[in-house]
Amino acid sequence: MYFINGIINIFYPNACGICGIISKYDICPKCIAKLNDIKQCKKHIYLTKNFTDAMYIFKYEDLVRECFIKYKFGEQNYRYKAFANFMIKDKKICGFLKKYDIIIPVPISKKRKKQRGYNQSELIIKECTKLDESINVYMNILYKTKNTKPQSTLNKEQRKMNLQGAYEVKNSNHITNKKVLLFDDIYTTGSTLEECAKVLRQAGAFEISVLTLAKD
């Protein structure tokens, strides 16, 4: 097994998910320092009727924006490990994750997932559970049942209309009277998270909060 892994590493060496240099770490020490310098970990100053707490880690700009565009749209899915490692190694972020009974990544439609090959938010939060098994992530509760127009192409009011009836809850017994954390990549207008939180609350969740990697 060690021999096979050695051969794999020669042809497919591990790289830092932020700067891309060859590294034995999923995120190199220099990039950890860079992200720490720009880290915000701020609570939103406005809340909605469907979620009670919301925090974002970075502003969606410069280094974070560049990396995430490559991750989300450039078929560079290996970058999820860097984001997950950074989150778990940060005491404040990791502590925020552990406050909740269940963490649910915001889903994308089957069609969009087939086109992209992965759900960017799901990959990050699933990796967090591998790094810390005390974090509970559920993939079989919230589903996107409609292939809606990309939110980035719409204004705020159109985004709300676009998502109406787009999400569905299954296995609701898992969230009844539970503290639920919704995880997504980017917070723009909050329409997606608001719609997801609404259906989760209707299905019996006791408390719903939000964590996003970045805020636009």
Side-chain angles (χ1 to χ4, degrees):
M1 179 61 74
Y2 290 111
F3 175 75
I4 293 172
N5 287 338
I7 296 296
I8 291 172
N9 286 334
I10 291 172
F11 291 100
Y12 302 99
N14 198 54
C16 170
I18 303 300
C19 66
I21 66 166
I22 303 303
S23 171
K24 64 179 180 179
Y25 305 108
D26 292 313
I27 178 170
C28 72
K30 285 186 178 180
C31 285
I32 289 176
K34 286 181 182 178
L35 291 184
N36 274 320
D37 285 342
I38 61 174
K39 179 182 68 177
Q40 304 254 321
C41 282
K42 288 187 177 180
K43 298 287 183 73
H44 292 262
I45 58 172
Y46 51 91
L47 300 175
T48 75
K49 62 181 180 181
N50 289 309
F51 53 87
T52 56
D53 201 4
M55 186 172 84
Y56 63 93
I57 302 172
F58 304 103
K59 287 290 291 180
Y60 187 57
E61 59 189 17
D62 303 328
L63 176 64
V64 170
R65 185 176 184 276
E66 179 186 341
C67 288
F68 216 84
I69 288 173
K70 290 176 181 177
Y71 169 51
K72 191 171 179 178
F73 304 110
E75 298 183 355
Q76 297 182 10
N77 64 336
Y78 69 91
R79 292 178 181 269
Y80 75 91
K81 291 187 176 182
F83 290 117
N85 271 269
F86 182 83
M87 289 167 63
I88 291 299
K89 288 175 181 177
D90 187 282
K91 289 183 179 179
K92 184 172 183 178
I93 300 168
C94 192
F96 192 75
L97 292 172
K98 291 183 178 183
K99 283 172 56 179
Y100 299 91
D101 301 312
I102 294 171
I103 302 173
I104 298 176
V106 170
I108 59 178
S109 68
K110 288 182 180 180
K111 183 177 180 180
R112 189 68 48 78
K113 192 171 184 178
K114 186 176 181 180
Q115 290 170 340
R116 187 175 295 157
Y118 53 92
N119 175 343
Q120 67 282 354
S121 300
E122 183 180 296
L123 282 184
I124 294 170
I125 204 65
K126 279 177 72 176
E127 183 68 13
C128 287
T129 68
K130 293 179 183 178
L131 299 170
D132 190 329
E133 293 181 355
S134 67
I135 295 170
N136 297 311
V137 175
Y138 281 64
M139 308 293 176
N140 64 340
I141 292 175
L142 187 62
Y143 294 85
K144 190 171 187 183
T145 55
K146 289 169 60 178
N147 186 47
T148 56
K149 294 178 181 178
Q151 290 288 87
S152 59
T153 65
L154 307 173
N155 62 36
K156 187 173 182 178
E157 289 306 313
Q158 289 172 331
R159 288 178 184 225
K160 290 179 182 178
M161 296 294 294
N162 188 45
L163 294 172
Q164 286 184 1
Y167 297 95
E168 180 180 313
V169 173
K170 298 180 182 178
N171 303 308
S172 59
N173 56 300
H174 290 303
I175 62 169
T176 302
N177 297 321
K178 300 285 186 172
K179 293 174 65 178
V180 176
L181 179 67
L182 270 171
F183 176 74
D184 204 7
D185 53 358
I186 302 164
Y187 189 111
T188 304
T189 65
S191 299
T192 299
L193 291 158
E194 178 72 12
E195 188 66 22
C196 289
K198 182 179 76 175
V199 297
L200 288 169
R201 188 172 292 281
Q202 290 171 345
F206 170 68
E207 180 184 316
I208 302 167
S209 296
V210 165
L211 174 65
T212 56
L213 192 70
K215 182 179 182 296
D216 201 355

